[in-house]
Amino acid sequence: MEHILETYNISKNFGKTQAVKNVNIKIQKGIIFSLLGPNGAGKTTLINILCTLLKPSIGTAKICGFDIMHESSKVREKIGLVPQHTNLYEDLTARENLIFQGKLYGLPKNVIKDRIDALLDLVELKEKADDIVKTFSGGMKRRLLIARALINEPEILFLDEPTIGLDPQSRRRIWNYILRLKKEKVTVFLTTHYMEEADHLSDKVAIIDKGEIKIYGSPYDLKKLIDNILIIESDRTAINILKNAGYDIISNDHKIKVRIIDKKEILKILNLLMKCELEISYISFKEASLEDVFLSVVGKSASELKLRGKY
């Protein structure tokens, strides 16, 4: 299986502070990978290292087969970066920003023109091509940043908190562009603290906390590590019935809380209780979310949210 990015024990120290600790990840070509973590967890530091803007204190990485330490110019040819903070030339037009970026890559004029037209169309800014950037909204600027990062047709695009501060409509637009890039076989490395965003977009997710990768996997597999909770209000004899049927009861106060792995278990439990002629006065279901996984990993969960197994 081809990996477009591999890291080897990457660490980064700022004085006595270790911002990134022994990061080892492998990312397959053509997927959307999300790096989740609280503020200060090391997400931006790791992206800056991978984009050759920072040198690691220890370790290295390979992107498209090129070493970030010894072949940085080759790495930069293969990547695009959308930084967390807008760094466009605001007194220039959208088109002029893209022309300037294309010239930095040494692209021919005709290639730059063709790519600009295609990219402005992609991010729905064609009608704003000759408007001054400082007149743009925050969402429009984020979209122009994505277009700029794609001018060199990168094989891997790094997006550092691409939807931070955007309204829901603008955020959804960015999501659509990211999914279109995946269809075009562009690998996307995304940092975000929006759980819904990571769950909706990602093929693989890693959670970083205090510089360390704590857990890695698909959103589906990670959510399976957290208990789904079925809450029932019924006769107290239901507790023994469910226990005898092999179900794990985690609470037996005025509401019965049952750990279940799959939604399919709900119908089985209801049929079992009705077969025993027990009345059910209340039922609700809390499905495990990526946020539950995140909170459990970073140690801020409620006591009932505990990871099953090791990670």
Side-chain angles (χ1 to χ4, degrees):
M1 201 167 288
E2 186 178 359
H3 293 104
I4 196 168
L5 185 154
E6 297 184 55
T7 70
Y8 307 95
N9 298 312
I10 283 184
S11 296
K12 181 63 181 178
N13 302 324
F14 294 102
K16 294 181 180 179
T17 301
Q18 193 169 21
V20 175
K21 303 177 185 178
N22 299 318
V23 168
N24 290 285
I25 52 175
K26 293 181 180 181
I27 298 175
Q28 293 169 239
K29 189 172 183 178
I31 72 163
I32 298 174
F33 167 85
S34 288
L35 184 65
L36 306 179
N39 291 335
K43 301 187 299 294
T44 297
T45 299
L46 182 58
I47 273 197
N48 286 340
I49 290 171
L50 296 175
C51 292
T52 73
L53 300 175
L54 271 179
K55 288 187 176 180
S57 303
I58 301 170
T60 190
K62 283 188 177 181
I63 294 177
C64 300
F66 298 111
D67 190 284
I68 62 169
M69 295 291 286
H70 306 296
E71 299 170 292
S72 58
S73 60
K74 292 287 188 182
V75 170
R76 289 174 188 173
E77 290 175 8
K78 299 292 185 181
I79 67 172
L81 171 63
V82 177
Q84 187 175 137
H85 302 292
T86 302
N87 61 353
L88 296 163
Y89 295 101
E90 302 225 345
D91 291 325
L92 300 181
T93 66
R95 188 185 304 278
E96 287 168 342
N97 268 272
L98 297 181
I99 289 171
F100 182 72
Q101 189 74 3
K103 286 181 176 179
L104 288 178
Y105 279 101
L107 301 175
K109 284 184 179 179
N110 63 318
V111 172
I112 292 174
K113 182 183 181 303
D114 290 344
R115 288 189 188 174
I116 286 174
D117 290 341
L119 289 170
L120 289 174
D121 189 45
L122 168 71
V123 299
E124 302 174 66
L125 289 174
K126 209 164 188 177
E127 293 181 2
K128 300 288 185 179
D130 298 308
D131 290 1
I132 300 296
V133 169
K134 64 183 169 186
T135 66
F136 285 12
S137 67
M140 291 165 65
K141 288 177 181 177
R142 298 306 289 176
R143 284 146 56 194
L144 183 57
L145 282 169
I146 291 175
R148 188 186 68 177
L150 293 170
I151 195 73
N152 62 319
E153 295 188 334
E155 292 187 37
I156 180 167
L157 178 65
F158 291 89
L159 297 162
D160 193 6
E161 304 278 4
T163 62
I164 191 168
L166 298 185
D167 61 81
Q169 185 179 16
S170 296
R171 185 174 297 139
R172 287 281 175 176
R173 275 181 166 174
I174 300 291
W175 290 6
N176 290 337
Y177 306 146
I178 292 171
L179 291 171
R180 280 182 64 179
L181 293 173
K182 180 186 174 182
K183 288 182 180 178
E184 295 170 14
K185 308 302 181 185
V186 177
T187 306
V188 176
F189 186 117
L190 169 75
T191 73
T192 182
H193 61 263
Y194 295 120
M195 300 299 122
E196 180 192 4
E197 183 165 275
D199 201 357
H200 179 72
L201 295 174
S202 308
D203 299 293
K204 297 289 183 181
V205 170
I207 296 176
I208 187 170
D209 188 34
K210 297 176 183 176
E212 294 183 272
I213 301 293
K214 299 292 188 179
I215 195 166
Y216 175 84
S218 70
Y220 175 77
D221 287 339
L222 295 188
K223 286 184 286 187
K224 285 201 301 184
L225 298 172
I226 294 286
D227 295 311
N228 297 310
I229 306 296
L230 179 65
I231 302 172
I232 302 170
E233 194 167 307
S234 182
D235 190 284
R236 305 311 296 166
T237 57
I239 294 172
N240 289 331
I241 292 169
L242 292 172
K243 281 184 177 179
N244 290 336
Y247 288 101
D248 186 7
I249 310 297
I250 60 172
S251 173
N252 57 2
D253 50 19
H254 65 290
K255 289 187 176 71
I256 304 163
K257 294 180 182 178
V258 189
R259 284 193 179 103
I260 60 174
I261 295 173
D262 196 283
K263 282 182 180 179
K264 295 174 184 176
E265 295 294 313
I266 297 175
L267 190 56
K268 291 180 182 178
I269 289 172
L270 294 179
N271 285 337
L272 175 63
L273 296 181
M274 287 189 290
K275 188 177 178 180
C276 295
E277 299 183 347
L278 294 181
E279 184 180 339
I280 300 169
S281 56
Y282 174 89
I283 183 168
S284 71
F285 176 65
K286 185 184 185 304
E287 188 171 17
S289 68
L290 201 55
E291 183 174 8
D292 291 333
V293 180
F294 178 83
L295 292 175
S296 293
V297 169
V298 301
K300 298 177 182 177
S301 64
S303 59
E304 69 189 36
L305 293 173
K306 295 180 181 178
L307 285 172
R308 292 200 303 268
K310 297 180 180 179
Y311 53 87

